[in-house]
Amino acid sequence: MDIKLITSESVTEGHPDKVCDQLSDGILDEMLKNDPDSHSAVECFVTNGLVVVGGEVRTKEYIQIDNLVRRVLKNIGYNGAESGFDCDSVGIVSALHAQSAEISQGVDEGQGDYKEQGAGDQGLMYGYATNETKELMPLPIMLAHKLTARLAEVRRKKVMPYLKPDGKSQVTVEYHDGKAKRVETVVIAACHSNKVKLEKVRRDIKEKVIKPVLGKLLDSKTKIFINSTGAFTFGGPAADTGLTGRKIIVDTYGGVARHGGGCFSGKDASKVDRSGAYMARYVAKNVVAAGLAGKCELQVAYAIGVAKPVGIYIDTFGTAKFSEEKILRAIEKVFDFRPKAIIDQLGLKKPVFLRTAAYGHFGRDGFAWEKTDKVAALKKAVR
């Protein structure tokens, strides 16, 4: 029997890097509300008492950066002195500037060397799906996200009112011959008030977070580590700096599938780092949902300013019901990978991005790239 241990991690919305992702996507959404044709490449940096916003944008309406930043921080839970990073008193520096005209001409229809809307940059993106969960996602990353989402839920609902916004999870799943059997190890780090003893925090997290989420996957041999340094009362941006785009594996497949390297948050859909990865997930999920393969990883690559991808390939890891060549031909028949077509297909000029910026961009309801509406077309095309 082949036994493997596969580990994935997640972080809460109060983790400093995720704070930055939400600020970047909050700014993008605000621009798209006023001007759907806005272009954005916004990065944020947070540290003790300070938020720095920088990057390049193109939009028709003025955005009140200060108000938006404070609103996002308040919604996360960074309000009041107890949080350690008060939304009302934090300093904010904004250094946004106009998008390069040379980039603009490559992504605007009718401009540049190619008249179609081209990709906003060169690069390679990956999408992945597997039939091991109902979300068609790898089990370790789904469990990790559910744990961090539960940490936020018990904090917001006052089930564990002493928790602070910052937190992390990590889950190691034991596989037997490719099938998930049990959870080998769970790691939780949850920032909390110094008025509560660590013993209570550990007991509450085990009973109110870990057991409800992991259930029967736990057994007597499962190792559980909760705040294993012995203290976590000082967290968030006051204790640790954060940057946009520093949690790209948390955002995607937890390390089970490959990643092209580009982050998502703060980028509008003309940036194929984001839209190309969303499209690749959409395709891979429909391939698996159609039963063409049990697993599917798809790579798509672009040249800046050019509409059609320079390369597409798939890997089904020996699970395909048809040849990969035949599946790829079906994919190319059913899906259009040109940036404008992706944006139109997935509705990426709408302000939908802030919600993606915590607990993963994939495997969640309510996003167009998670639909399995191309199953019938793929089944027909592969015959």
Side-chain angles (χ1 to χ4, degrees):
M1 181 168 58
D2 180 33
I3 299 177
K4 291 182 179 178
L5 299 177
I6 299 178
T7 302
S8 293
E9 70 163 345
S10 179
V11 298
T12 65
E13 71 253 45
H15 184 282
D17 294 331
K18 275 289 142 206
V19 169
C20 291
D21 286 345
Q22 289 165 93
L23 292 174
S24 294
D25 274 338
I27 292 168
L28 170 59
D29 273 5
E30 194 70 15
M31 289 193 295
L32 292 173
K33 287 177 187 175
N34 299 313
D35 176 11
D37 294 321
S38 294
H39 288 180
S40 169
V42 174
E43 315 287 345
C44 293
F45 166 85
V46 294
T47 188
N48 190 12
L50 179 65
V51 175
V52 178
V53 179
E56 55 179 35
V57 301
R58 188 183 75 184
T59 191
K60 294 176 181 177
E61 301 290 334
Y62 173 74
I63 303 299
Q64 293 184 318
I65 299 295
D66 275 35
N67 290 347
L68 188 141
V69 167
R70 297 188 196 282
R71 187 167 73 243
V72 171
L73 292 177
K74 183 177 182 179
N75 184 62
I76 293 169
Y78 284 116
N79 55 311
E82 176 70 13
S83 73
F85 192 73
D86 181 22
C87 63
D88 292 324
S89 62
V90 67
I92 301 169
V93 176
S94 178
L96 296 174
H97 60 87
Q99 182 185 47
S100 162
E102 293 175 341
I103 293 176
S104 294
Q105 72 179 13
V107 297
D108 288 342
E109 283 188 276
Q111 297 186 30
D113 283 354
Y114 301 91
K115 300 311 174 187
E116 284 188 279
Q117 178 178 340
D121 202 351
Q122 69 177 50
L124 55 144
M125 300 86 218
Y126 285 94
Y128 181 78
T130 172
N131 61 9
E132 70 171 304
T133 63
K134 65 181 179 63
E135 298 91 353
L136 303 186
M137 286 284 288
L139 180 62
I141 188 64
M142 292 307 300
L143 295 178
H145 284 324
K146 288 175 181 179
L147 285 170
T148 50
R150 179 63 180 166
L151 281 175
E153 181 183 23
V154 297
R155 171 177 61 88
R156 290 178 180 276
K157 291 184 176 180
K158 309 298 184 184
V159 176
M160 296 172 64
Y162 55 80
L163 288 183
K164 296 182 181 181
D166 195 1
K168 302 176 77 171
S169 72
Q170 185 173 285
V171 181
T172 301
V173 177
E174 183 178 305
Y175 286 80
H176 294 181
D177 295 327
K179 301 292 184 181
K181 292 297 181 182
R182 58 184 291 273
V183 168
E184 165 68 16
T185 306
V186 187
V187 181
I188 296 287
C191 192
H192 62 90
S193 168
N194 59 12
K195 298 174 183 177
V196 180
K197 291 184 178 181
L198 180 58
E199 290 76 15
K200 176 174 172 55
V201 175
R202 286 175 171 166
R203 184 173 60 252
D204 284 353
I205 287 176
K206 186 174 181 179
E207 295 299 322
K208 298 174 182 179
V209 177
I210 294 175
K211 286 184 177 180
V213 170
L214 301 184
K216 294 180 180 179
L217 289 169
L218 298 171
D219 60 30
S220 60
K221 295 182 180 179
T222 301
K223 302 180 188 71
I224 298 176
F225 300 98
I226 300 170
N227 289 4
S228 50
T229 68
F232 190 13
T233 61
F234 184 50
D240 187 16
T241 58
L243 289 169
T244 299
R246 207 158 53 176
K247 286 291 177 283
I248 59 176
I249 302 304
V250 171
D251 285 343
T252 52
Y253 307 101
V256 170
R258 285 170 281 195
H259 195 294
C263 83
F264 301 154
S265 291
K267 297 175 181 176
D268 73 274
S270 71
K271 310 291 190 298
V272 286
D273 278 342
R274 183 169 218 164
S275 55
Y278 286 1
M279 187 65 169
R281 162 64 179 171
Y282 180 47
V283 174
K285 186 173 184 181
N286 274 271
V287 167
V288 173
L292 307 188
K295 296 179 182 180
C296 180
E297 183 179 74
L298 183 137
Q299 185 203 68
V300 58
Y302 292 90
I304 189 170
V306 180
K308 290 185 177 181
V310 298
I312 303 173
Y313 85 81
I314 64 167
D315 187 346
T316 57
F317 308 95
T319 67
K321 303 298 195 315
F322 304 88
S323 71
E324 289 183 347
E325 181 182 1
K326 200 168 188 179
I327 295 173
L328 184 56
R329 285 202 303 267
I331 288 170
E332 291 175 332
K333 184 176 181 180
V334 172
F335 297 94
D336 189 340
F337 288 86
R338 293 174 297 171
K340 185 178 186 302
I342 293 173
I343 291 167
D344 291 343
Q345 171 75 59
L346 301 181
L348 298 182
K349 288 191 176 184
K350 298 175 182 177
V352 299
F353 298 107
L354 177 55
R355 197 168 74 84
T356 69
Y359 311 115
H361 293 244
F362 308 127
R364 299 166 62 195
D365 293 335
F367 298 125
W369 52 93
E370 290 298 315
K371 292 180 179 179
T372 52
D373 54 351
K374 300 297 183 183
V375 164
L378 280 171
K379 286 181 176 180
K380 182 179 179 180
V382 83
R383 290 183 190 140

